[in-house]
Amino acid sequence: QPHPRSAKLLRALVLSPMLLVAQSQAFQFTSRRWLNLQEYQSKKLMSDYGVRVQRFFVADSANEALQADKRLNAKEIVLKAQILAGGRGKGVFNSGLKGGLAEQMIGYNLATKQTPKGGVKVNKVIVAEALDIARETYLAILMDRSCNGPMLVGSPQGGVDIEELVASNPELIFKEQIGIFEGIKDSQAQRMAENLGFLGPLKNQAADQIKKLYNVFLKVDPSQVEVNPFSETPEGQVVCFDAKINFDDNAEFPQKNIFAMDNKSENEPIENEAARYDLKHIGLDGNIACFVNGAGLAMATCDIIFLNGGKPANFLDLGGSVKEAQVYQAFKLLTADPKVEAILLSIFGGIVNCAIIANGITKACRELELKVPMMVRLEGTNVQEAQSILSSSGLPITSTIDLEDAARKAVDNVSKK
Ligand code: GDP
Ligand code: MN
């Protein structure tokens, strides 16, 4: 029985992008593979392609917010904190504010059910013209693995947590598989508009917005475009009130301008540092650092630590092609983390040569003056030579080819939590 935490990681890895975004915030924030645009960036892109959003300006100070308010000259305005997590409407600021004034938003942390407990610092707000909402629906376009192409997903019940709706009322979720070569058909856009409950002249308007959103999807190569709520106003306009556009690194090359918008300010510093060296770092709350190659091995390693009564402090994934410089940087990151009391290195040398890793390890340990005990489980190509490099190094390294044994020894070497 896997421990819930690693079960969560496993789910995060095997789920489709849409669910992944909702279920594992940790995952998307930590990986270089993901770019999640802020709402204002997503809305700017969408409006460039003719999608209807409210008039808005972006402000990063209370004064700018005031100016924006003047320029909008709207009957009523809405201020929206620009953080990646959803659930902002019901979030709480550490200034005490619940939904309101710009000076009590910018520079403060906003906690929602999708953020870490302490919340996320708000650096920018959208100042938008407030419109009345008559009805909220949900609309998303995403790359769907099961059909190897784009999928339109919608529900007449929007504004709500879509994952909960998928579980409680699956009959309220509508899908249209789109042929990547044919593009979205009029009939598909019309059917979706109807399924979303747009009536009379609103049906054509909604279908038109859906086609324009699909055009955005086609032009900017995202893994997902999500509009929740996709709404109608009492005046009879279909408007995208919220927007989330996410990318994976396949889009990095063709979409350089978009990737240049990523300021990574919402990442943990350690995660940005890891990403610079092509390492994936996931922070957990125990005291045993896991140093692995490959996500599957990361989960197996975390599980085996749990099964032996320990808790992982993190895992750092070297990925497929291991380079010596990477090994060094990985150690630097792990040894700089004060909660790490032992390191469990678990590498399977399928393509990589274990001796190269052993050399990387000993070099890094000497230069960084490794203070905590380290258990090394190396298996695979050239493992014998690797073992002898480690055992003759004179460093506090316990080497084994058995993962269970290595995990047990790591747990024995840390204080119990
Ligand atoms: P999220 O909770 O972080 O996803 O933020 P949203 O932008 O989706 O806003 C949450 C909810 O606030 C929406 O579902 C709407 O009900 C409401 N909302 C957002 N903007 C407006 C607006 O301009 N006018 C009105 N009437 N409601 C809004
Ligand atoms: Mn929303």
Side-chain angles (χ1 to χ4, degrees):
Q1 195 63 24
H3 184 276
R5 183 74 202 219
S6 35
K8 183 176 168 195
L9 295 177
L10 178 62
R11 275 203 308 279
L13 285 167
V14 299
L15 280 170
S16 70
M18 180 178 75
L19 292 176
L20 192 153
V21 166
Q23 296 218 348
S24 182
Q25 287 290 325
F27 239 82
Q28 44 160 344
F29 282 106
T30 48
S31 167
R32 195 181 76 92
R33 297 180 64 85
W34 298 89
L35 167 61
N36 301 320
L37 293 184
Q38 296 284 359
E39 177 190 3
Y40 75 92
Q41 298 169 320
S42 301
K43 282 186 168 169
K44 171 75 175 53
L45 274 177
M46 283 166 29
S47 76
D48 287 347
Y49 287 94
V51 173
R52 191 177 297 121
V53 300
Q54 294 147 284
R55 292 190 295 131
F56 73 91
F57 292 106
V58 184
D60 46 28
S61 69
N63 190 34
E64 266 186 32
L66 218 62
Q67 298 305 318
D69 181 13
K70 282 204 190 103
R71 281 166 72 191
L72 281 170
N73 192 24
K75 235 174 40 213
E76 212 180 324
I77 61 156
V78 48
L79 295 174
K80 301 181 76 178
Q82 295 302 286
I83 61 169
L84 295 174
R88 291 166 301 173
K90 291 178 184 146
V92 180
F93 277 93
N94 63 357
S95 58
L97 182 76
K98 279 187 203 166
L101 300 163
E103 65 256 40
Q104 287 179 62
M105 295 171 81
I106 298 167
Y108 289 96
N109 277 29
L110 172 60
T112 80
K113 67 179 196 179
Q114 288 185 16
T115 67
K117 271 208 187 72
V120 173
K121 190 172 168 206
V122 175
N123 295 314
K124 288 185 188 331
V125 295
I126 277 184
V127 184
E129 163 185 43
L131 300 175
D132 289 334
I133 298 181
R135 212 171 57 83
E136 302 192 323
T137 79
Y138 174 93
L139 187 77
I141 307 167
L142 49 111
M143 269 300 168
D144 186 72
R145 275 169 194 268
S146 63
C147 68
N148 289 323
M151 178 87 91
L152 194 58
V153 181
S155 173
Q157 256 173 51
V160 296
D161 204 334
I162 196 70
E163 281 68 34
E164 277 166 28
L165 191 67
V166 170
S168 65
N169 296 73
E171 76 285 356
L172 291 178
I173 307 291
F174 297 91
K175 294 182 179 176
E176 294 285 341
Q177 190 177 324
I178 300 171
I180 190 75
F181 295 112
E182 300 96 63
I184 187 166
K185 297 191 192 102
D186 278 339
S187 60
Q188 290 184 303
Q190 290 281 340
R191 191 158 54 221
M192 182 55 83
E194 202 171 306
N195 284 331
L196 296 183
F198 290 103
L199 302 171
L202 282 171
K203 186 173 140 188
N204 276 334
Q205 217 191 109
D208 179 57
Q209 289 292 305
I210 291 169
K211 285 195 286 187
K212 286 181 168 143
L213 283 163
Y214 182 73
N215 188 37
V216 174
F217 184 83
L218 213 59
K219 293 286 164 49
V220 306
D221 299 319
S223 49
Q224 171 181 276
V225 174
E226 187 190 55
V227 180
N228 188 23
F230 180 65
S231 295
E232 61 183 73
T233 67
E235 295 78 27
Q237 288 218 306
V238 177
V239 180
C240 299
F241 279 88
D242 194 10
K244 262 195 190 119
I245 305 186
N246 299 340
F247 300 82
D248 64 28
D249 65 355
N250 290 314
E252 194 167 353
F253 180 73
Q255 302 290 346
K256 292 195 174 63
N257 292 341
I258 288 175
F259 274 71
M261 293 197 250
D262 184 12
N263 66 13
K264 298 188 172 71
S265 63
E266 274 185 45
N267 291 3
E268 297 281 333
I270 188 169
E271 283 147 10
N272 285 336
E273 190 62 17
R276 281 180 53 198
Y277 299 98
D278 249 345
L279 298 161
K280 182 182 279 183
H281 179 277
I282 306 281
L284 301 168
D285 45 20
N287 49 10
I288 301 172
C290 301
F291 186 2
V292 299
N293 64 335
L297 193 54
M299 274 177 287
T301 306
C302 289
D303 278 350
I304 213 152
I305 289 174
F306 282 123
L307 288 171
N308 284 281
K311 278 187 173 179
N314 52 42
F315 74 73
L316 194 68
D317 183 359
L318 280 170
S321 57
V322 183
K323 295 168 217 79
E324 209 175 289
Q326 249 189 324
V327 176
Y328 178 83
Q329 291 300 335
F331 268 98
K332 208 167 151 184
L333 287 173
L334 290 181
T335 49
D337 185 345
K339 62 181 194 295
V340 170
E341 295 175 30
I343 298 174
L344 172 56
L345 184 143
S346 170
I347 302 272
F348 180 76
I351 300 165
V352 291
N353 183 336
C354 290
I356 291 177
I357 294 174
N359 278 325
I361 294 169
T362 52
K363 186 164 173 251
C365 289
R366 286 205 182 91
E367 283 175 31
L368 298 166
E369 294 172 18
L370 178 70
K371 301 266 170 22
V372 297
M374 177 160 73
M375 318 308 135
V376 175
R377 175 267 184 175
L378 272 174
E379 175 62 296
T381 310
N382 213 5
V383 66
Q384 246 93 46
E385 193 189 333
Q387 299 277 7
S388 73
I389 291 168
L390 293 177
S391 58
S392 61
S393 70
L395 292 161
I397 297 175
T398 309
S399 178
T400 156
I401 53 166
D402 184 53
L403 181 53
E404 171 102 50
D405 186 33
R408 205 177 306 121
K409 285 179 176 142
V411 174
D412 288 344
N413 271 286
V414 298
S415 54
K416 296 291 164 289
K417 285 206 165 177

